[in-house]
Amino acid sequence: MPDATSEDLDGPDDPAIPWTGLSEILAPGLSVVFCGLNPALSAVRDGHNFSNPSNRFWRVLHLAGFTPRLLRADEERALLQYCCGLTSAVSRPTKSAGELKKQDYLSAAPALESKIRTFAPANLAFLGKAAYAAISLRANVEWGRQAEEFAGAVVWLLPNPSGLNRAFTLTTLTERYLELRATL
């Protein structure tokens, strides 16, 4: 699978968009791009997506069958081998995604849409409801596959695997991610 060029990964073209220094893991034609709400401060500090040990992202991907082995955050680029990618709805890092407002998502939506149109993944999986609810201007959204597409990709809403989101057990998270995996 072709990899994104280094120019694509160096940061946003628009200088008004703050760049976190985290690599986006993107390539053309992926099966799914997982879209986090925004980078955690710990991820920016560590230089890798989902690097906080309390974050369950890597474990859930493995348990749901997206990766044949448990990847570490510093192996994030290996996701491309499994036709998966990573991006964020908002590039500004925060301690908690709860610090983001609806306007943050709306302001970031054009850049996200452009990115998804450029790389054309089959599926876009928002990790948490906040970004998609804001972007779609829908107050109530349900987990799972959505009726609408975003920038040509089928939209999925999956629970956020953040260690701060304890409303979902590891088992429940895995079940939700398996629903998407079963369609690939």
Side-chain angles (χ1 to χ4, degrees), residues 2-95:
D3 198 355
T5 67
S6 61
E7 182 178 299
D8 296 326
L9 299 174
D10 285 341
D13 293 331
D14 183 345
I17 299 171
W19 182 52
T20 65
L22 288 177
S23 291
E24 294 195 282
I25 311 302
L26 296 170
L30 296 172
S31 296
V32 61
V33 169
F34 295 97
C35 182
L37 300 174
N38 74 312
L41 290 174
S42 59
V44 173
R45 178 196 66 225
D46 298 340
H48 297 288
N49 296 284
F50 302 106
S51 64
N52 190 312
S54 71
N55 194 297
R56 300 166 289 174
F57 179 76
W58 300 107
R59 194 161 173 207
V60 169
L61 283 193
H62 173 64
L63 292 172
F66 286 95
T67 62
R69 67 180 180 83
L70 180 60
L71 298 176
R72 297 182 319 265
D74 64 352
E75 298 176 296
E76 60 193 3
R77 299 213 45 86
L79 277 178
L80 294 173
Q81 297 172 37
Y82 310 111
C83 294
C84 298
L86 290 175
T87 193
S88 294
V90 174
S91 62
R92 180 171 60 88
T94 59
K95 182 175 181 177

